[in-house]
């Protein structure tokens, strides 16, 4: 087979790239290791930056998002013993965030690609990237006992943090930066009316977050030990702990119900540089992972795809590789800013077991600084809503 761009991974990054390329007359084939049902079952983040919303609208994916997504003027921080603080994106940036689940975006993308004859191969096993610096790259995969080869001009590595693409870059050429945090997030989804606000809670018992997917679907998280076990967290215990970590009036208004999904995710920051090696271009979680605090993961995947699709469109229209050559640097600038914001919010809002009283005072003072300084509040709002592309 032959295509212009072979895309590895059918998460939001791979699907969105394929969709935008197709709209611009560029052929691609998406290779996904899992079944489509598996991809659609995964529960991931759900808070979109204004730039993500604008881009999705621009490429014809706005209809359902505009109907079902819930815009917010900002998100709250409820700090134990302090007044509530609004990360006021509307006031300081004129922009809103939109609650709309990654699962929905993935569904919308599959629907758009199916309708337009997009090529997505699922259950593609043993994907391998070959001859990336030869000018004649190709990928191979196995399906139903056969090995299939796809010749292409470029390979887009959109296969997430556990993918193969990144490992096709020789170790000597790749620099990775990593930080893991000594806790995870225990998250549940419940078919209950959500708490009206997106609210991050800081409490001496640990962090908690109230979020939402739609008027009858709520998403809640609590900070948990890295080695916590799901079986130790029946719903009752989760709700009790969640409520203990938020202000009384908030706890009183939370509508609880049985969880329909429950999972534990460790928190880590990871960035790989560069995001290009020969014909291989990385995008999304394949190149970087941020802790979920601040909801930047999905939004970064979208901004990577913005830069990458622009570069490929420019190349196929004019033969000019200017944007391709600068892709890694351009994307990484935005990646590092989001990495810093996610790290900062993570450090601010969680309890650390080995923390000294001095560090605790510093944390408290950082929050008080937000409460008392318009400039500090504006700086956070500007990063939280997402830096311009
Ligand atoms: N071959 C083919 N496909 C693969 C391989 C492989 N070797 N390894 C992984 N994949 C697939 C995964 O099954 C997954 O469907 O690549 C896809 C990667 O999707 P995501 O992990 O969703 O990554 P990305 O598209 O970059 O989305 C960004 O934002 O909310 C955050 O981390 C969250 O998934 C989210 C991300
Ligand atoms: C979510 O809704 O899943 C969510 C919202 C905000 C975050 C992280 C996750 O910071």
């Amino acid at each position: 087979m032959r295509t212009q761009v072979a895309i590895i991974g059918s998460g939001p990054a791979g699907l969105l790239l394929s969709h935008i390329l197709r709209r611009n007359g560029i052929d691609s084939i998406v290779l996904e290791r899992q079944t489509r049902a598996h991809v659609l079952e995964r529960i991931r983040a759900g808070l979109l930056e204004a730039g993500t919303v604008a881009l999705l609208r621009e490429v014809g994916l706005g209809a359902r998002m505009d109907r079902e997504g819930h815009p917010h003027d900002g998100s709250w921080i409820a700090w134990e013993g302090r007044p509530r603080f609004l990360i006021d994106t509307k006031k300081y940036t004129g922009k809103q965030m939109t609650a709309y689940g990654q699962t929905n975006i993935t569904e919308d993308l599959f629907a758009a690609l199916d309708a337009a004859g997009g090529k997505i191969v699922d259950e593609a096993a043993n994907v391998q990237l070959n001859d990336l610096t030869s000018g004649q790259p190709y990928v191979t995969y196995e399906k139903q006992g056969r090995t299939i080869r796809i010749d292409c001009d470029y390979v887009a590595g959109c296969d997430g943090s556990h993918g193969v693409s990144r490992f096709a870059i020789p170790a000597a050429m790749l620099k990775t930066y990593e930080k893991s945090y000594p806790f995870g997030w225990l998250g549940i989804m419940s078919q209950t009316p959500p708490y009206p606000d997106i609210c991050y809670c800081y409490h001496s018992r640990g962090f908690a977050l109230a979020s939402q997917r739609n008027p009858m679907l709520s998403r809640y998280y609590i900070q948990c030990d890295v080695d916590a076990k799901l079986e130790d967290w029946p719903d009752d215990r989760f709700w009790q702990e969640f409520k203990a970590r938020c202000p009384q009036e908030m706890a009183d208004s939370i509508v609880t119900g049985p969880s329909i999904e429950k999972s534990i995710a460790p928190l880590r920051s990871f960035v790989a540089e560069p995001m290009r090696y020969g014909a291989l271009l990385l995008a999304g979680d394949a190149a970087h992972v941020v802790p979920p605090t601040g909801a930047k993961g999905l939004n970064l995947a979208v901004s990577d795809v913005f830069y990458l699709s622009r570069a490929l469109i420019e190349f196929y229209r004019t033969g000019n590789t200017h944007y391709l050559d600068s892709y890694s640097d351009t994307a990484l600038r935005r990646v590092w800013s989001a990495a810093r914001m996610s790290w900062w919010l993570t450090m601010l809002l969680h309890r650390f077991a080995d923390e000294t009283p001095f560090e605790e005072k510093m944390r408290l003072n950082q929050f008080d600084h937000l409460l008392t300084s318009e400039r500090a509040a504006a700086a956070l709002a500007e990063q939280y809503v997402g830096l311009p592309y």
Side-chain angles (χ1 to χ4, degrees), residues 30-102:
V30 180
L31 298 179
E32 166 60 50
R33 178 166 59 184
Q34 305 284 355
T35 63
R36 184 180 293 203
H38 178 96
V39 171
L40 286 168
E41 262 164 26
R42 292 190 300 228
I43 309 270
R44 297 278 180 80
L47 192 57
L48 308 184
E49 294 176 354
T52 298
V53 169
L55 177 77
L56 292 175
R57 277 189 195 132
E58 210 176 291
V59 298
L61 294 165
R64 180 171 169 217
M65 176 179 69
D66 286 331
R67 253 190 344 264
E68 297 180 16
H70 189 328
H72 290 266
D73 290 348
S75 298
W76 292 88
I77 300 179
W79 197 284
E80 186 181 13
R82 290 282 193 279
R84 261 169 65 127
F85 170 78
L86 178 63
I87 307 173
D88 198 336
T89 62
K90 185 76 196 227
K91 173 174 166 188
Y92 293 113
T93 71
K95 296 178 196 159
Q96 294 177 303
M97 302 286 280
T98 299
Y100 188 64
Q102 177 168 325

Side-chain angles (χ1 to χ4, degrees), residues 280-348:
L280 170 65
L281 300 133
L282 300 177
D285 275 19
H288 41 74
V289 176
V290 290
T293 333
K296 288 286 163 256
L298 170 61
N299 292 293
L300 272 187
V302 171
S303 61
D304 285 353
V305 168
F306 168 79
Y307 295 125
L308 181 51
S309 58
R310 178 179 70 173
L312 290 165
I313 292 165
E314 168 90 351
F315 169 72
Y316 284 110
R317 272 201 194 132
T318 67
N320 190 333
T321 60
H322 165 80
Y323 281 137
L324 280 169
D325 296 337
S326 57
Y327 167 67
S328 178
D329 288 346
T330 313
L332 279 167
R333 261 201 301 280
R334 201 169 185 283
V335 166
W336 278 116
S337 296
R340 181 174 56 79
M341 206 229 46
S342 310
W343 160 81
W344 187 81
L345 264 187
T346 300
M347 300 302 286
L348 179 74

Side-chain angles (χ1 to χ4, degrees), residues 189-219:
M189 195 74 99
S190 77
Q191 285 169 318
T192 48
Y195 185 67
D197 305 320
I198 313 276
C199 187
Y200 300 89
C201 303
Y202 174 82
H203 194 274
S204 44
R205 297 179 72 91
F207 167 86
L209 166 61
S211 186
Q212 54 195 246
R213 291 293 178 269
N214 66 45
M216 262 314 276
L217 199 55
S218 309
R219 182 78 168 145

Side-chain angles (χ1 to χ4, degrees), residues 88-388:
D88 198 336
T89 62
K90 185 76 196 227
K91 173 174 166 188
Y92 293 113
T93 71
K95 296 178 196 159
Q96 294 177 303
M97 302 286 280
T98 299
Y100 188 64
Q102 177 168 325
T103 314
N104 293 14
I105 293 179
T106 310
E107 281 170 5
D108 297 347
L109 279 162
F110 275 125
L113 280 162
D114 287 348
K119 293 174 225 163
I120 307 167
V121 179
D122 67 357
E123 298 183 89
N126 194 20
V127 169
Q128 292 183 13
L129 288 61
N130 306 280
D131 291 2
L132 293 168
T133 53
S134 67
Q136 292 178 313
Y138 66 96
V139 299
T140 55
Y141 67 96
E142 289 164 20
K143 183 145 179 168
Q144 288 156 354
R146 288 180 18 185
T147 300
I148 295 147
R149 168 175 170 149
I150 305 177
D151 291 283
C152 55
D153 303 324
Y154 289 99
V155 181
C158 304
D159 46 353
S161 55
H162 304 294
V164 288
S165 300
R166 191 173 65 244
F167 297 99
I169 304 179
M173 308 197 69
L174 196 71
K175 180 129 182 70
T176 58
Y177 301 83
E178 190 158 14
K179 175 175 175 64
S180 45
Y181 303 88
F183 40 73
W185 278 17
L186 168 61
I188 70 163
M189 195 74 99
S190 77
Q191 285 169 318
T192 48
Y195 185 67
D197 305 320
I198 313 276
C199 187
Y200 300 89
C201 303
Y202 174 82
H203 194 274
S204 44
R205 297 179 72 91
F207 167 86
L209 166 61
S211 186
Q212 54 195 246
R213 291 293 178 269
N214 66 45
M216 262 314 276
L217 199 55
S218 309
R219 182 78 168 145
Y220 295 98
Y221 300 94
I222 56 172
Q223 174 184 352
C224 63
D225 292 340
V226 256
D227 51 4
K229 300 270 172 294
L230 279 179
E231 56 268 29
D232 294 332
W233 285 95
D235 292 355
D236 285 351
R237 181 175 177 211
F238 178 91
W239 289 120
Q240 201 180 6
E241 188 59 36
F242 182 88
K243 289 182 170 195
R245 296 180 185 192
C246 54
Q248 193 58 50
E249 73 281 2
M250 179 174 168
D252 291 344
S253 71
I254 300 283
V255 183
T256 64
S259 64
I260 56 166
E261 192 266 355
K262 193 185 281 165
S263 54
I264 294 173
L267 267 67
R268 90 186 165 112
S269 298
F270 172 85
V271 182
E273 293 186 339
M275 288 171 64
R276 174 173 183 189
Y277 171 69
L280 170 65
L281 300 133
L282 300 177
D285 275 19
H288 41 74
V289 176
V290 290
T293 333
K296 288 286 163 256
L298 170 61
N299 292 293
L300 272 187
V302 171
S303 61
D304 285 353
V305 168
F306 168 79
Y307 295 125
L308 181 51
S309 58
R310 178 179 70 173
L312 290 165
I313 292 165
E314 168 90 351
F315 169 72
Y316 284 110
R317 272 201 194 132
T318 67
N320 190 333
T321 60
H322 165 80
Y323 281 137
L324 280 169
D325 296 337
S326 57
Y327 167 67
S328 178
D329 288 346
T330 313
L332 279 167
R333 261 201 301 280
R334 201 169 185 283
V335 166
W336 278 116
S337 296
R340 181 174 56 79
M341 206 229 46
S342 310
W343 160 81
W344 187 81
L345 264 187
T346 300
M347 300 302 286
L348 179 74
L349 295 173
H350 292 79
R351 292 288 300 179
F352 290 78
D354 57 356
E355 188 167 79
T356 64
F358 177 81
E359 287 164 329
E360 220 174 302
K361 280 285 188 192
M362 290 299 99
R363 176 196 314 292
L364 186 61
N365 190 268
Q366 297 219 42
F367 180 69
D368 282 345
H369 184 50
L370 286 176
L371 280 180
T372 52
S373 162
E374 285 266 328
R375 287 189 180 86
L380 175 57
E382 174 184 82
Q383 298 169 74
Y384 186 79
V385 85
L387 297 175

